[in-house]
Amino acid sequence: GTHNGLAAQFLPPEAVPKAKPVGWYHIFHRDDLREIAPRWLHYCGRVRTEPYRYWAMNGSISANIPTGDAYVKFGQAPWIAEMYGYAFGAAEVGVDHVVTHGIVAYPSEASAWGEEP
């Protein structure tokens, strides 16, 4: 959602570059959470109730935007709407992130660890 055009469908233009690919777990200061939480809820709701922003429905957009959810069906909200809500809310209020890699491994990454995918 942060690199596929989805953020631009929901965020003001100045906040789009601040949207980071964050998920799983977070460590943050409680003051940041106080700022993020209302916007997190706001964007979570919008991602769930405005599927026309990522699905090409009745000419709403020219092509579907991949949601990152392999199991979602056309017209449905992705189950990861909460992750988008957090990423978009944090971007809007200007909370930056240090994104780490290697903490969570996806099945598609198994071959990089010497195992068959």
Side-chain angles (χ1 to χ4, degrees):
T2 60
H3 297 296
N4 63 1
L6 192 59
Q9 292 292 319
F10 290 94
L11 287 170
E14 65 277 3
V16 172
K18 297 176 186 174
K20 303 291 184 191
V22 293
W24 297 98
Y25 68 90
H26 305 85
I27 299 171
F28 36 58
H29 193 276
R30 64 182 174 209
D31 293 342
D32 290 337
L33 184 56
R34 282 188 188 112
E35 283 192 60
I36 295 168
R39 304 313 299 159
W40 184 353
L41 182 60
H42 167 80
Y43 283 112
C44 182
R46 287 191 61 200
V47 170
R48 288 182 177 152
T49 61
E50 299 177 22
Y52 58 87
R53 293 187 178 274
Y54 44 88
W55 296 116
M57 304 170 78
N58 301 319
S60 60
I61 54 175
S62 61
N64 292 334
I65 297 174
T67 64
D69 181 351
Y71 304 103
V72 69
K73 294 180 182 165
F74 179 81
Q76 294 180 342
W79 69 270
I80 54 177
E82 290 81 6
M83 288 185 195
Y84 288 130
Y86 175 81
F88 298 165
E92 185 179 285
V93 300
V95 173
D96 198 8
H97 293 81
V98 174
V99 180
T100 58
H101 300 280
I103 302 297
V104 177
Y106 295 91
S108 62
E109 299 169 334
S111 61
W113 296 33
E115 300 173 19
E116 291 297 317

